[in-house]
């Protein structure tokens, strides 16, 4: 059925219900909103948004540290029952996007946006800057004379990271003299010209229309008005105005803890002059501003409030929930994962364990021993639960490197991964890197007929391919170590054929042959030799897969 028509309100009433940042400027900064950490932060933000905008979420703008909270918040707002539909959704920016937007608007809104450059371009630009600063007779010039691009690269990577850190923290370095004896000679020469390198690097980025995430933040806060705000003289004589996307909107800064120098300068201006509301998901005691001790992990929030001389108010009361904490003795990662698997497979309706003698007075802290779990057999592990039984379960990992082994032990593999696993550490990328290294070691068979004298081969290394006589001189051969890395990769070793994995045993035979042969091998001839021992013979399906 069609939704009922939304009644139109008079223009004067609409204007009265949509306060702008200008209307709030005369009343001083807003107090920080404290959302107790035992409550749902996104649910609290949704309720605050509805109340602050009178049910018009399109009148608000949120700034988050990264993009994921904004996606979940928009989904919450889309399903909120207290919002009249149709409606506009709030605009959501990451802090990086906010810096880019403010810089583009403040410098020249009609110009083409600066182009972000990758690490290699930053290193190349820094090398040009260092060369331009070197003068005959100084220490920097002497080191550069003996340094080519390949030798400068590792120093350039460190220098680029250092420049980015200065940009992000809104700091301009000076030349650090007399560092000889404390660091490497070339590092001492670079530190002696660090302030000049920073100035030349910033000028080169501006001149070429290039940028980095840190440089966008650095330029944005330099365009904020007045030394009383940022400690820096303004570079814009006609003042600072918000972009049209933000003008007249209710601003919310949410989800931050420890601020960088550029973040603090930007948020301080938005809070003081643009009516922004800072929302903290933290200990409820932070709202009392020293009235009672706060948890040690929330001390940064207290320092934030104190340094800004800001007020604080509870956005919602604490839930009063007391968590039940259980410690399991784990000798290594695998023993801990075994306990996790048993806990997840256990019946969700089982009663919790009784508190042990070592429990806290409140009775909410328990201990258990892992020894019986380690000694148990597979038959004692409960069956895998249904997906619905684990819908309210979260596994929190301190390190992304633990993701793969944890996924292997989860009863239900259909899970939502929110931690952001780096692609460079994935199994697929390792396979691609192995294949690339395999090509880097490729040598024609003709060049390997004599003892090898290259940098990767030792004295006496010769070529003797398996099946030697049928290897043509133009056949490419590969170093034995990289060949073994390739055949050991799980994506190749675990390939299935009719429900079985025949390549695992064949690769084991290949590895034995490679280890007993020469430094360079022909994998094709090696495969033909091993295929004779494959199930079904050398013309069977397993040999064809090999």
């Amino acid at each position: 059925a069609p939704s009922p028509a939304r009644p139109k309100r008079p223009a004067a009433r609409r204007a009265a219900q949509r306060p702008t940042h200008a209307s709030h400027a005369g009343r001083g900064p807003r107090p920080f909103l404290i959302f107790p950490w035992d409550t749902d932060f996104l649910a609290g933000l949704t309720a605050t948004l509805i109340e602050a905008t009178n049910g018009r979420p399109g009148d608000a703008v949120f700034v988050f540290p990264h993009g994921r909270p904004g996606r979940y918040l928009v989904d919450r707002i889309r399903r909120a029952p207290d919002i009249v539909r149709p409606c506009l959704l709030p605009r959501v920016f990451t802090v990086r996007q906010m810096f880019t937007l403010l810089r583009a608007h403040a410098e020249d809104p009609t110009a083409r946006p600066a182009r972000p450059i990758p690490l290699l371009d930053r290193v190349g630009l820094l090398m040009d800057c260092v060369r331009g600063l070197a003068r005959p007779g100084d220490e920097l010039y002497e080191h550069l004379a003996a340094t080519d691009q390949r030798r400068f690269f590792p120093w350039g990577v460190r220098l680029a990271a250092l420049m980015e850190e200065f940009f992000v923290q809104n700091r301009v370095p000076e030349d650090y003299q007399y560092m000889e004896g404390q660091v490497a000679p070339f590092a001492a020469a670079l530190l002696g010209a660090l302030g000049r390198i920073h100035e030349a690097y910033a000028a080169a980025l501006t001149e070429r229309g290039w940028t980095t995430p840190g440089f966008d933040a650095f330029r944005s806060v330099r365009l904020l008005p007045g030394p009383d705000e940022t400690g820096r003289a303004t570079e814009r004589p006609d003042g600072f105005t918000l972009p049209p996307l933000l003008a007249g909107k209710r601003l919310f800064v949410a989800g931050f803890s420890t601020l960088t120098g550029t973040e603090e300068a930007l948020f301080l201006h938005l809070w003081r002059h643009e009516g922004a509301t800072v929302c903290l998901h933290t200990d409820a005691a932070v709202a009392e501003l020293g009235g009672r001790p706060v948890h040690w992990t929330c001390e940064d929030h207290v320092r934030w409030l104190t340094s800004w001389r800001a007020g604080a108010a509870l956005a919602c009361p604490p839930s009063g929930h007391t968590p039940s904490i259980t410690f399991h003795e784990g000798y290594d990662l695998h023993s801990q994962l075994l306990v996790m698997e048993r806990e997840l497979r256990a019946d969700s309706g089982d009663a919790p364990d009784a508190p042990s003698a070592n429990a806290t007075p409140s009775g909410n802290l328990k201990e258990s021993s892992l020894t019986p779990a380690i000694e148990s057999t597979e038959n004692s592990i409960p069956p895998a639960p249904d997906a619905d039984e684990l819908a309210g379960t979260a596994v929190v990992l301190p390190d992304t490197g633990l993701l793969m082994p944890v996924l292997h032990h989860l009863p239900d593999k259909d899970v939502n991964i929110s931690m952001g696993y780096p692609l460079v550490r994935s199994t697929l990328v390792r396979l691609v890197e192995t294949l690339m290294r395999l090509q880097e070691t490729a040598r024609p068979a003709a060049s390997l007929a004599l003892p090898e004298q290259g940098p990767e081969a030792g004295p006496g290394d010769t070529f003797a391919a398996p099946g030697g006589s049928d290897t043509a001189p133009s056949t490419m051969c590969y170093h034995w170590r990289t060949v073994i890395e390739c055949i050991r990769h799980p994506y190749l070793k675990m390939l299935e054929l009719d429900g079985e994995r025949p390549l695992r045993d064949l690769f084991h035979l290949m590895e034995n042959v490679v280890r007993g042969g020469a430094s360079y091998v022909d994998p094709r001839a090696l495969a033909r030799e091993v295929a004779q021992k494959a199930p079904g013979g050398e013309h069977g399906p397993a040999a064809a897969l090999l």
Side-chain angles (χ1 to χ4, degrees), residues 55-331:
R56 302 174 64 92
D59 292 344
V61 173
F62 282 87
V63 183
F64 289 105
H66 51 87
R68 185 172 292 274
R71 292 193 291 269
Y72 283 109
L73 177 64
V74 168
D75 184 66
R76 288 289 187 96
I77 297 172
R78 187 182 293 116
R79 295 184 284 109
D82 300 333
I83 297 179
V84 181
R85 294 168 177 79
C87 66
L88 295 177
L89 292 173
R91 290 191 176 272
V92 178
F93 295 92
T94 65
V95 65
R96 178 175 174 179
Q97 293 170 341
M98 181 65 71
F99 282 129
T100 303
L101 175 67
L102 293 177
R103 180 191 175 190
H105 171 73
E107 288 186 338
D108 188 356
T110 62
R112 177 181 298 179
R115 180 171 66 88
I117 58 174
L119 177 61
L120 289 179
D121 288 338
R122 300 180 202 177
V123 173
L125 186 59
L126 280 169
M127 186 171 186
D128 293 340
C129 294
V130 173
R131 283 177 172 172
L133 293 173
R135 296 292 180 267
D138 62 12
E139 187 178 1
L140 188 60
Y141 183 86
E142 295 176 359
H143 285 286
L144 284 177
T147 303
D148 56 8
Q149 290 183 348
R150 185 178 63 178
R151 294 180 178 178
F152 180 82
F153 180 76
W155 296 106
V157 172
R158 294 177 175 86
L159 194 57
L162 188 58
M163 293 294 108
E164 196 72 2
E165 186 68 17
F166 278 120
F167 287 148
V168 168
Q169 297 299 337
N170 193 25
R171 293 291 183 266
V172 176
E174 300 177 352
D175 294 344
Y176 291 88
Q177 305 290 348
Y178 312 113
M179 299 297 294
E180 295 80 2
Q182 303 183 48
V183 295
F186 191 31
L190 292 175
L191 290 174
L194 189 62
R196 290 173 288 158
I197 294 174
H198 182 276
E199 182 180 2
Y201 182 51
L205 287 172
T206 304
E207 180 182 358
R208 302 191 184 194
W210 294 353
T211 190
T212 68
F215 190 62
D216 274 340
F218 180 76
R219 288 294 304 161
S220 297
V221 300
R222 292 297 165 123
L223 297 170
L224 293 176
D228 58 328
E229 294 296 323
T230 64
R232 309 287 179 182
T234 179
E235 299 181 20
R236 187 177 172 86
D238 55 345
F240 179 87
T241 59
L242 288 179
L245 288 176
L246 307 180
K249 302 291 186 180
R250 180 69 184 271
L251 303 179
F252 293 92
V253 177
F256 291 86
S257 177
T258 303
L259 301 181
T260 65
T262 51
E263 290 172 352
E264 182 171 9
L266 173 63
F267 296 158
L268 180 60
H269 174 82
L270 295 180
W271 176 70
R272 282 184 176 174
H273 300 289
E274 309 297 342
T277 301
V278 179
C279 303
L280 302 180
H281 195 211
T282 183
D283 188 356
V286 174
E288 300 182 19
L289 297 177
R292 59 189 174 98
V294 302
H295 194 272
W296 63 271
T297 58
C298 305
E299 293 177 355
D300 286 335
H301 286 156
V302 176
R303 285 191 288 267
W304 186 355
L305 285 161
T306 304
S307 63
W308 285 16
R309 298 179 181 178
L314 277 178
C316 56
S319 66
H321 170 70
T322 301
S324 176
I325 303 175
T326 304
F327 289 100
H328 294 279
E329 183 180 6
Y331 304 104

